Amino acid sequence: MSSRTSDVLVVGGGIIGLVTAWRAAQRGLTAAVVDPEPGGGAAQVAAGMLAAVTELHYGEQTLLGLNLASAHRYPAFAAELTELTGHDLGYRRCGTLAVALDADDRAHLRELHALQRQSGLESEWLSGRECRRLEPMLAPGVRGGLRVDGDHQIDPRRLTRALLVACERAGVLFHRTWARRLRVVRDRAAGVTTTDGAELAADQVVLAAGSLSGRLEGVPEALLPPVRPVKGQVLRLTVPQRHAPFLSRTVRAVVRGSHVYLVPRESGELVIGATSEELGWDTTVTAGGVYELLRDAHELVPGITELPLTETRAGLRPGSPDNAPLLGPTDLPGLLLATGHYRNGVLLTPVTGDALAHALTTGELPEAARPFTPGRFLKSVEQPA
Ligand code: GLY
């Protein structure tokens, strides 16, 4: 049995865990990550839309504040990571066009537009013809849309690679194994025991294991994060050079109640997503999922059927009860959370890294992140009679 000590041990090496370890190390803390495959996780599947405005929902104005704060940090965050690592992140300030195909979709989009304007967000209503002028590949049946120039994109796979390099350069240590159990010593989180029997000691532990975050043994029942897996199937197509430019910005819609989006990258990759399925830990790519995505995307952009289909994959979003993340200290000293980012993990990466680094060094969340404290879901523990 080995024992290694760090100031901070991050459980989970997806983008949220990596950005937390990197930012902590930049602040002078010794940081380690425990994950059998750092750089894996939902970001390997995600399309990478930075969709604070087009994914706004009623009742989620508090989350909007955090989403906008993170979107605002993206240019400097991406520039810093690229400067440090030499990796281009595919950060593309291309904007988004949300379109409607029928009267119901149009009514839905009109409501979204009203909500966006009430919230002080920039979004412009366009006729079907104006949409097609912007994106000539759109179907003739498009009845109108919202032009949101502030919703951009990044390539999550490139972001992951850059974060791995940034962590390595900052001296973050990687333990390529599973964390099995949280170690609690004198009422304080003190590290984890791994599945291969090692004890990794740390002054503070950050649980950042995405949809798996509720499964670490040894976390007191009342503090287990209430995250659940929400499956998303995603397709990747390739736009051959002769077809370029196919789409110049992200195009999305709600078709018969399901979200579909097409995210064009400068590399020629065209990402089509995503299903949203409550099926536990299942990550099977199904014929039905692929069919529905292609059917809906084809209604928006008929020309996609010409393109090679290069990849189909499913990932698990870490859903939380209010669709917002759980950030910062818990009631167990030394245990912090960075999980439950649901549909916004890529968008929220910069602000999460900053918030967790602040919490790890000061013991408190910065103002912008305070509404997302894990305490809002605290379960009452029954007292013995
Ligand atoms: N934010 C896109 C998705 O979760 O599918």
Side-chain angles (χ1 to χ4, degrees):
M1 191 178 286
S2 65
S3 178
R4 313 206 193 137
T5 303
S6 49
D7 294 329
V8 180
L9 178 66
V10 182
V11 178
I15 48 174
I16 296 299
L18 292 176
V19 79
T20 299
W22 174 47
R23 288 304 199 196
Q26 279 184 319
R27 292 198 182 204
L29 301 174
T30 54
V33 172
V34 54
D35 189 313
E37 279 181 51
Q44 291 303 309
V45 182
M49 289 179 300
L50 308 176
V53 179
T54 41
E55 287 202 9
L56 176 62
H57 294 285
Y58 277 107
E60 293 186 1
Q61 271 85 348
T62 311
L63 176 59
L64 171 68
L66 193 71
N67 285 343
L68 289 173
S70 208
H72 184 69
R73 281 166 211 225
Y74 244 104
F77 172 80
E80 182 184 354
L81 258 181
T82 297
E83 167 86 25
L84 264 173
T85 65
H87 283 249
D88 172 9
L89 309 185
Y91 178 51
R92 194 172 171 200
R93 294 190 220 200
C94 59
T96 296
L97 184 63
V99 300
L101 283 166
D102 61 23
D104 284 353
D105 294 348
R106 197 160 65 166
H108 171 89
L109 221 48
R110 285 279 191 200
E111 277 179 28
L112 175 62
H113 192 211
L115 181 61
Q116 289 167 337
R117 286 162 55 133
Q118 278 164 30
S119 309
L121 302 170
E122 278 187 37
S123 163
E124 183 190 0
W125 182 265
L126 301 182
S127 67
R129 185 174 299 178
E130 287 168 327
C131 290
R132 280 188 297 281
R133 204 173 296 140
L134 275 185
E135 294 297 341
M137 297 302 282
L138 279 175
V142 165
R143 308 263 302 251
L146 288 176
R147 175 177 177 165
V148 176
D149 286 343
D151 275 3
H152 303 312
Q153 62 154 303
I154 194 159
D155 183 336
R157 293 178 177 174
R158 288 172 177 251
L159 170 62
T160 307
R161 283 197 289 273
L163 283 171
L164 280 168
V165 172
C167 281
E168 273 159 16
R169 299 228 169 120
V172 173
L173 194 64
F174 286 97
H175 302 285
R176 286 179 166 74
T177 181
W178 289 102
R180 187 173 63 77
R181 188 173 185 84
L182 182 74
R183 295 177 58 237
V184 179
V185 179
R186 286 190 284 280
D187 294 328
R188 219 194 131 81
V192 302
T193 309
T194 68
T195 46
D196 43 20
E199 285 188 358
L200 307 177
D203 292 339
Q204 301 187 82
V205 176
V206 181
L207 185 45
S211 56
L212 290 165
S213 300
R215 294 186 129 194
L216 185 66
E217 292 172 23
V219 177
E221 170 74 23
L223 303 184
L224 270 178
V227 288
R228 67 185 197 286
V230 182
K231 177 179 173 183
Q233 300 190 47
V234 173
L235 316 176
R236 283 174 162 80
L237 284 64
T238 303
V239 180
Q241 210 47 42
R242 67 178 185 283
H243 280 301
F246 191 80
L247 294 174
S248 64
R249 73 202 68 219
T250 296
V251 169
R252 57 183 303 154
V254 178
V255 182
R256 289 175 290 272
S258 300
H259 287 271
V260 64
Y261 44 78
L262 296 92
V263 182
R265 304 225 197 279
E266 256 153 20
S267 64
E269 183 176 77
L270 179 67
V271 186
I272 299 181
T275 64
S276 189
E277 304 164 77
E278 303 267 357
L279 289 174
W281 304 102
D282 173 54
T283 51
T284 314
V285 175
T286 62
V290 174
Y291 165 71
E292 280 168 29
L293 288 172
L294 287 177
R295 181 195 62 196
D296 295 350
H298 175 251
E299 280 189 41
L300 294 181
V301 181
I304 58 157
T305 49
E306 305 288 316
L307 305 178
L309 173 62
T310 39
E311 192 184 316
T312 59
R313 200 151 162 191
L316 299 173
R317 305 175 184 89
S320 79
D322 61 3
N323 300 335
L326 292 88
L327 303 175
T330 66
D331 275 3
L332 179 67
L335 177 66
L336 296 88
L337 301 185
T339 187
H341 291 70
Y342 190 39
R343 300 183 73 96
N344 296 306
V346 180
L347 172 60
L348 290 174
T349 295
V351 81
T352 300
D354 292 346
L356 265 291
H358 190 274
L360 287 162
T361 46
T362 67
E364 289 188 351
L365 280 172
E367 187 73 32
R370 284 195 195 144
F372 305 97
T373 174
R376 73 190 190 279
F377 297 124
L378 203 58
K379 289 180 223 146
S380 56
V381 182
E382 294 212 355
Q383 300 297 318

